[in-house]
Each structure stands twice: as C-alpha cells, then as structure tokens.
Amino acid sequence: MKEIKCTIIQDILPLYVDGVVSEDTKDMVNKHLQTCPACQKEYEQMTQTLYVPVENKVTLFNKINKRWYRKKIILISTSVLTTALLLLAVFSYVFHYEKTIPYEKKLFSVEQQEDGTLATYYYGKSYAGVVASHPMSIEIDGVTKNVSFVYFTETIADSPRRNLINGEKQTEAYQISLPDSRSVDAVYYGEFDFEKIVITKEQTWEELLQGKTLIWKK
Ligand SMILES: [Zn+2]
C-alpha cells in the first residue's frame, strides 16, 4: 500500500477525532497511526485537549446552572424589591405627601367666637393637617398689626377631591381655634415659612403677604 504523507494524515486528524470521516478514511488513518509514532502523538494530544471527563461535564453544567439560577433569584428579588419600593413611594405619596389646599372662598372662613378668640372653618370633605401661626407683629402700610397665618394641607388619600380613607361626607365644617388670637388684627390664608424671613432672610414680610389671601380682619 502506498505510503501516505504524515501531513495529509494530520490534516485529516481533526475530522477523524470528531468522527466525521468515511469508513475508508478511518481505516486509512487507523493503519497509519499504528505505524507512525509522530502522528500517533499528534492524535493523542488532540484527543487529550478535546476529552472532557463525564464528571467534569456534570460539574461544569451544574456550575453554569447554579450561576444562572442565582442570577434568576437576584433578578426576581430585585424586581420584588423594586415593586416594594415603588409601592412604598406611592404609599408615601398618597398618605404622607401633604400639599397646601389652595384658597377657595367657599372652603374657608374665620369667625370670632364668643370668648373673643378666632376660629377658622374648613368646609371641605377632609384635610390632612392645619398649620396656624401665633400672631406676628408686622408693619403694613406704616401701621403695626398682629397678623395670623393659617393653611390647611391635604394628601391624595385625604383630600376634599379624593376621599379614599374617610368615605363619610362631611356635613359640618371643621373648626380650628387660632392660637392666641384675641389680639389678632388680620388673618391671612396661605403657606408660610417664618424661617425664611427670620433666620435665612430669604424673604421679607411684604413678600410673604403678597402671595397670601386676607380672609379676616378686625
Ligand atoms: Zn505519520
């Protein structure tokens, strides 16, 4: 039989190792390997690198599987956490985010009580909170006046427009006494932050009064 060149055998070897050669080629390579130590060595090296023991295959598969599994768990917990955070944000927004109820003539009034103190009335369905100031001495048009400020807040859950928590209809007005109000000359409605005037000096009394609504005066 004609001697086949080693280079040809080695060219075929990868296909032979993969088992994709014809029976004739396989016989030919077999015969050559039995007689040629050089090609045999090549063949051994090739099979050594390709050979993965069954146990190792399983371990590798498990590793991949576990990693994938862990990733999946992380993904699931992340989405659960995200949902929880989102719900918490919505919850906080609905129940805790308070904003000032804008002034409407039909919603608010101030009336003097029999004892001389002032009370503010709110005719909306519900509110979240009331912020009322003690009388502040403010010079208005050259005259010093005792001025009280008041405003009501609402949350989405607890507001005149969307009453999710308290479904009952408010038939009587809410009445809130204004603190220290016997000497009060005027009551203004609107959000205020005295810190901006007294401490940080960001605002003057005039600027504060500009955005407020006068709802009662002596
Ligand atoms: Zn050879």
Side-chain angles (χ1 to χ4, degrees), residues 64-145:
I64 294 169
N65 210 21
K66 268 181 194 158
R67 203 176 301 157
W68 178 80
Y69 191 62
R70 205 178 300 148
K71 202 174 172 187
K72 199 178 169 191
I73 288 175
I74 291 167
L75 275 177
I76 291 169
S77 31
T78 308
S79 66
V80 167
L81 191 69
T82 311
T83 311
L85 284 176
L86 195 67
L87 280 177
L88 192 70
V90 170
F91 183 85
S92 317
Y93 179 75
V94 169
F95 292 93
H96 300 290
Y97 178 72
E98 291 187 16
K99 60 184 183 70
T100 305
I101 301 174
Y103 178 76
E104 271 181 66
K105 204 175 178 183
K106 59 174 185 182
L107 283 181
F108 307 98
S109 75
V110 171
E111 280 162 38
Q112 195 154 30
Q113 308 299 294
E114 283 177 2
D115 62 0
T117 60
L118 296 176
T120 180
Y121 292 83
Y122 174 60
Y123 304 95
K125 280 180 189 166
S126 68
Y127 64 94
V130 189
V131 184
S133 76
H134 280 82
M136 309 298 289
S137 287
I138 305 170
E139 201 182 295
I140 302 169
D141 301 326
V143 185
T144 303
K145 287 181 174 174

Side-chain angles (χ1 to χ4, degrees), residues 113-197:
Q113 308 299 294
E114 283 177 2
D115 62 0
T117 60
L118 296 176
T120 180
Y121 292 83
Y122 174 60
Y123 304 95
K125 280 180 189 166
S126 68
Y127 64 94
V130 189
V131 184
S133 76
H134 280 82
M136 309 298 289
S137 287
I138 305 170
E139 201 182 295
I140 302 169
D141 301 326
V143 185
T144 303
K145 287 181 174 174
N146 275 332
V147 177
S148 279
F149 295 88
V150 65
Y151 66 92
F152 286 72
T153 61
E154 63 180 346
T155 60
I156 288 176
D158 200 35
S159 79
R161 280 174 283 283
R162 196 180 300 177
N163 205 351
L164 298 176
I165 298 260
N166 185 359
E168 304 155 39
K169 278 189 179 165
Q170 179 66 22
T171 46
E172 281 179 36
Y174 292 99
Q175 182 197 334
I176 289 101
S177 296
L178 292 177
D180 213 8
S181 54
R182 275 195 186 85
S183 60
V184 165
D185 299 308
V187 180
Y188 284 84
Y189 185 89
E191 210 177 321
F192 58 86
D193 183 359
F194 295 151
E195 248 186 57
K196 282 184 182 172
I197 299 167

Side-chain angles (χ1 to χ4, degrees), residues 28-93:
M28 180 190 77
V29 175
N30 279 343
K31 275 174 194 154
H32 182 88
L33 289 178
Q34 279 161 19
T35 55
C36 175
C39 287
Q40 204 173 348
K41 202 180 174 187
E42 191 75 17
Y43 167 75
E44 275 166 14
Q45 278 178 349
M46 215 173 267
T47 47
Q48 262 172 11
T49 44
L50 286 177
Y51 176 71
V52 179
V54 176
E55 309 157 70
N56 287 3
K57 271 185 192 167
V58 170
T59 316
L60 189 70
F61 176 75
N62 279 348
K63 266 184 194 163
I64 294 169
N65 210 21
K66 268 181 194 158
R67 203 176 301 157
W68 178 80
Y69 191 62
R70 205 178 300 148
K71 202 174 172 187
K72 199 178 169 191
I73 288 175
I74 291 167
L75 275 177
I76 291 169
S77 31
T78 308
S79 66
V80 167
L81 191 69
T82 311
T83 311
L85 284 176
L86 195 67
L87 280 177
L88 192 70
V90 170
F91 183 85
S92 317
Y93 179 75

